[in-house]
């Protein structure tokens, strides 16, 4: 595996899922595979789970890890081709990615959406340019449009917790005080579509995701109706795709609460975290035994470990 940026980079989802489950059973089985290899984790944005679970995954494989917050600690990187660099940017992506590749055997990068320029965000230009100029495998730690390690952990979690063969999975938009990217939701849809589930997306009018991800998926503007018979409720806020990066007002009633969870088939509750309590979902929902939020976070380690193992072994 030369890059892990989307489900399209995965040769066989079932076998990657089995590998993650095998690693969860025996995390240290391959603890010398990564000896003397270095994982570099580069962050343009904040992180808690991604940073720690990726480090832990690498350590479980015997790798060394270096971490850098590029926004605060590095030079300001220029991404433009042919730019005369006499302004604020100090180092070109060509050198930056080339240099990092001298020190690291695998590179992970987090680069969120700007939410100001849809075309640029949806080209995932920062990640794409890193990949173009790096000479080692690259893992997305959440790009402008996708968060594949999260989605991989989510399908591990659904697989482990499903009671029926083909569960109903509902992705519900939820309120938030800030404009957030669409990446977790795009990616969730992309991965879950490849598994044996009934997927329904519910959101207020105006929050339609990019159709590239949602074509062939049932969409409902009626949250309560969508919750009926659901086996999994996945809550996430995102800002508008059509009116790019904007948010709509007076939608606080979309919060996931206990009354709405009662409409489901005893559904398990999921969220990628961090979660704004009592805005996205109420304390009752987050603290209930049916909440899988910590299991999802735990599975982030094995998702990352499976991907790293494939890269270290140079396998598809
Ligand atoms: C990010 C997002 O893409 O929605 C990362 C999720 C894994 N979430 C946030 O930026 C939340 C920030 C906030 O203000 O609550």
């Amino acid at each position: 595996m030369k890059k892990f940026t989307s489900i399209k980079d995965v040769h066989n989802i079932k076998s990657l899922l089995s590998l993650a489950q095998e690693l969860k059973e025996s995390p240290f089985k391959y603890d010398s595979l990564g000896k003397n290899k270095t994982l570099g984790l580069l962050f343009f944005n904040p992180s808690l789970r991604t940073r720690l679970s990726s480090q832990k995954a690498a350590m479980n494989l015997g790798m060394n890890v270096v971490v850098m917050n590029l926004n605060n600690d590095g030079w300001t990187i220029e991404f433009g081709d042919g730019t005369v660099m006499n302004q604020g940017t100090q180092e070109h992506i060509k050198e930056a990615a080339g240099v990092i590749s001298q020190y690291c055997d695998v590179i992970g990068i987090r680069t969120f959406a700007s939410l100001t320029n849809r075309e640029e965000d949806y080209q995932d230009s920062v990640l794409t340019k890193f990949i173009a100029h790096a000479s080692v495998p690259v893992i997305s730690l959440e790009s402008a449009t996708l968060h594949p390690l999260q989605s991989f952990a989510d399908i591990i979690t659904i697989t482990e917790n499903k009671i029926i063969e083909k569960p109903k999975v509902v992705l519900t938009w939820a309120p938030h005080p800030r404009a957030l990217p669409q990446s977790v939701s795009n990616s969730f849809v992309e991965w879950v579509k490849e598994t044996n589930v009934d997927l329904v997306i519910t959101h207020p009018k105006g929050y339609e995701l990019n159709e590239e991800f949602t074509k062939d998926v049932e969409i409902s503007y009626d949250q309560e109706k969508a919750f009926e018979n659901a086996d999994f409720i996945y809550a996430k806020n995102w800002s508008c795709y059509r009116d790019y990066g904007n948010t709509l007002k007076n939608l606080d009633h979309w919060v996931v609460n206990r009354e709405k969870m009662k409409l489901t088939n005893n559904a398990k509750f999921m969220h990628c975290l961090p979660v704004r309590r009592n805005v996205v979902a109420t304390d009752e929902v987050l603290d209930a035994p049916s909440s899988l939020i910590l299991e999802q976070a735990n599975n982030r380690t094995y998702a990352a470990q499976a991907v790293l193992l494939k890269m270290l072994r140079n396998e598809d």
Side-chain angles (χ1 to χ4, degrees):
M1 200 185 279
K2 280 270 171 285
K3 63 183 172 81
F4 181 76
T5 62
S6 120
I7 196 156
K8 297 189 186 87
D9 296 322
V10 178
H11 180 66
N12 184 329
I13 300 158
K14 271 203 179 130
S15 83
L16 194 66
L17 193 61
S18 312
L19 177 61
Q21 284 163 332
E22 180 196 340
L23 292 167
K24 190 170 179 176
E25 300 251 311
S26 332
F28 310 115
K29 192 168 166 190
Y30 305 102
D31 63 359
S32 50
L33 187 70
K35 190 173 178 331
N36 298 329
K37 303 275 184 190
T38 300
L39 171 66
L41 296 174
L42 310 174
F43 291 91
F44 284 105
N45 313 91
S47 169
L48 185 149
R49 277 148 295 281
T50 299
R51 179 167 169 164
L52 296 181
S53 63
S54 305
Q55 284 198 43
K56 188 170 171 194
M59 280 153 39
N60 287 353
L61 293 169
M63 295 182 85
N64 299 311
V65 188
V66 290
V67 186
M68 188 161 174
N69 295 322
L70 287 178
N71 272 352
N72 306 329
D73 304 338
W75 302 110
T76 305
I77 298 177
E78 174 61 51
F79 289 92
D81 271 334
T83 309
V84 178
M85 289 172 56
N86 59 3
Q87 300 290 317
T89 54
Q90 296 154 324
E91 174 149 37
H92 200 275
I93 180 63
K94 287 186 183 178
E95 283 81 47
V99 166
I100 296 162
S101 303
Q102 308 302 310
Y103 310 141
C104 301
D105 302 279
V106 179
I107 302 173
I109 297 162
R110 163 159 287 193
T111 163
F112 283 0
S114 68
L115 296 181
T116 53
N117 183 334
R118 185 168 93 178
E119 209 184 10
E120 232 172 63
D121 281 351
Y122 271 75
Q123 280 169 357
D124 247 324
S125 49
V126 173
L127 179 67
T128 309
K129 284 181 179 157
F130 254 103
I131 293 170
H133 299 295
S135 55
V136 299
V138 173
I139 300 177
S140 162
L141 306 176
E142 184 172 347
S143 74
T145 58
L146 296 169
H147 193 356
L149 285 175
Q150 180 64 51
S151 311
F152 181 18
D154 292 338
I155 67 161
I156 299 172
T157 311
I158 292 174
T159 307
E160 287 173 339
N161 284 281
K162 69 176 187 181
I163 299 166
I164 56 171
E165 197 47 37
K166 191 172 184 186
K168 178 177 175 184
V169 176
V170 177
L171 168 64
T172 180
W173 182 93
H176 200 280
R178 292 176 54 214
L180 297 187
Q182 294 109 30
S183 52
V184 171
S185 312
N186 288 341
S187 195
F188 183 74
V189 172
E190 191 178 63
W191 282 73
V192 163
K193 266 200 312 203
E194 296 299 319
T195 65
N196 189 26
V197 305
D198 252 328
L199 176 63
V200 177
I201 305 175
T202 182
H203 57 70
K205 277 204 172 105
Y207 278 104
E208 289 75 15
L209 293 164
N210 183 344
E211 270 173 39
E212 198 190 304
F213 299 100
T214 59
K215 60 172 182 281
D216 312 326
V217 180
E218 188 184 329
I219 296 170
S220 167
Y221 298 127
D222 185 339
Q223 191 188 33
E224 297 198 353
K225 187 140 195 306
F227 273 42
E228 282 170 17
N229 281 320
D231 299 294
F232 292 88
I233 298 293
Y234 195 102
K236 182 71 185 80
N237 171 268
W238 61 87
S239 59
C240 299
Y241 172 75
R242 290 185 184 167
D243 184 13
Y244 193 64
N246 283 328
T247 56
L248 308 174
K249 291 200 178 359
N250 301 326
L251 292 166
D252 291 352
H253 57 283
W254 276 74
V255 62
V256 179
N257 58 25
R258 192 162 59 172
E259 289 64 49
K260 286 179 199 167
M261 290 300 286
K262 276 192 191 142
L263 302 170
T264 69
N265 183 27
N266 279 323
K268 305 281 190 192
F269 176 82
M270 299 177 74
H271 190 279
C272 63
L273 305 181
V275 66
R276 301 284 190 122
R277 279 179 173 259
N278 304 308
V279 177
V280 171
T282 59
D283 286 337
E284 284 172 344
V285 170
L286 291 165
D287 297 334
S290 52
S291 168
L292 298 178
I293 52 181
L294 296 186
E295 288 192 38
Q296 288 171 264
N298 184 31
N299 284 331
R300 291 291 309 272
T301 300
Y302 309 106
Q305 201 173 332
V307 170
L308 282 171
L309 189 141
K310 288 276 182 195
M311 287 181 168
L312 289 172
R313 281 193 182 150
N314 227 340
E315 286 173 3
D316 275 342

